Every structure is written in structure tokens, then in C-alpha cells.
Amino acid sequence: MSTITHGNVDYRVVPLENCLELVKQIQAAGRRWHSHVLSPGCDFNPYDGLYAIVVEDDADGVVYIAPSDGFPEVDKVFVKMLHGDDILDVQATLGENGELARTSALLARVVEINSQGIAWHHHMNFPDCVLNPHRGRWAITVESASGTFSESYEAEPKSVLREIEVLYFRNLANA
């Protein structure tokens, strides 16, 4: 297995088709994990012009990466595994945003730049995530042509994340 370093992250390179099995092995061993999709041009993406999917083995501190020519569809499986089956459900966003989503400055900014047609992508940062600008807390980070911004939380911000995921995947479907 080769390693690639980008910024301050050492990634172990794995084939895209092995990512789901890798996550199943991490789960079977009882270790915590989470994942990210790195869009082309993402600050954390070492691959010019490609997507990449990252799997972080939180318990062992190992960060795996797999390059992908297009959006890595396995991410939709991972998002549901991590945040529940309804995380991508448009119906779940209607009227059930929760107080956190209604008061989130980050969500308001995402909605604003999205309505302006500005390209953006996001990262859900678990407390011990290597990409987390607020280590030790939950966070969501958004990268866009109008800048990078983040918001941190005491607990998993599922209502904010659901709103962002629905917008993000709607944009992907319309691209």
C-alpha cells in the first residue's frame, strides 16, 4: 500500500472498489470511523481534477484515500451508515429542521452562496477528524469560491448536516 502526503495529512492509498470492505472491516473490529468526499480542487485533495474518498479509522488514526474519476457513489452508503438512513431524505428537511438548523449561520451562508450559483462542497468533521479546524468538537466546514468557513458544535449537528447534504446532492444531480 502506497502513501501520499498532502498538507499535514498522510494518506494510505487504496483502490476505490475496496473502500466499502475496508469500512466493514473497521466496523467489525469495533473501531470508530468516518469518511469524506474530496471534490476536485478541494484544499485536502492531492489529486488534480479528480474526486477522492477518504476513510478515517478514528481509533487507529489511519487515513485512507481512494482517487475517483467521478463522484464516488459509495459515499452515499457511507453517509447513511454514519448519520442514518434519512440523512439524504428531502422530506425529512421539510418542517423538521430543528432549532440548530434554524439558527445556524453556516447553513444560512450555504443557502446564500448556493442561491447565487457559487460552487461549494462541505466536510462533516467528527471531533477527532484530521481535517477538523475545531479539533475536539463536531464541525462542518464549507469550501467555496467565496471562501472557506466552518461552524463547530457540542454534539453531532444532524439537522444542519441534513439540510446541507440535500442541497449538495441536488446540485450534483443537476450538474
Side-chain angles (χ1 to χ4, degrees), residues 24-41:
K24 288 179 180 179
Q25 289 172 2
I26 293 170
Q27 281 185 317
R31 297 190 311 269
R32 292 181 336 275
W33 67 279
H34 70 277
S35 64
H36 300 277
V37 168
L38 307 180
S39 300

Side-chain angles (χ1 to χ4, degrees), residues 99-175:
E99 184 63 23
L100 183 59
R102 284 193 296 278
T103 61
S104 169
L106 177 130
L107 181 56
R109 190 160 175 202
V110 167
V111 168
E112 179 184 335
I113 66 172
N114 193 66
S115 69
Q116 295 170 357
I118 296 171
W120 61 274
H121 68 275
H122 66 287
H123 303 286
M124 174 68 217
N125 304 121
F126 282 57
D128 49 2
C129 172
V130 298
L131 309 182
N132 191 341
H134 307 277
R135 293 297 291 260
R137 293 177 52 91
W138 291 87
I140 298 175
T141 303
V142 176
E143 291 182 53
S144 73
S146 67
T148 298
F149 50 97
S150 64
E151 190 168 75
S152 71
Y153 315 89
E154 289 294 323
E156 181 181 3
K158 210 169 173 183
S159 61
V160 176
L161 181 63
R162 181 179 295 110
E163 297 292 324
I164 290 172
E165 292 285 2
V166 168
L167 279 174
Y168 179 77
F169 282 109
R170 184 180 301 140
N171 289 346
L172 271 182
N174 293 333

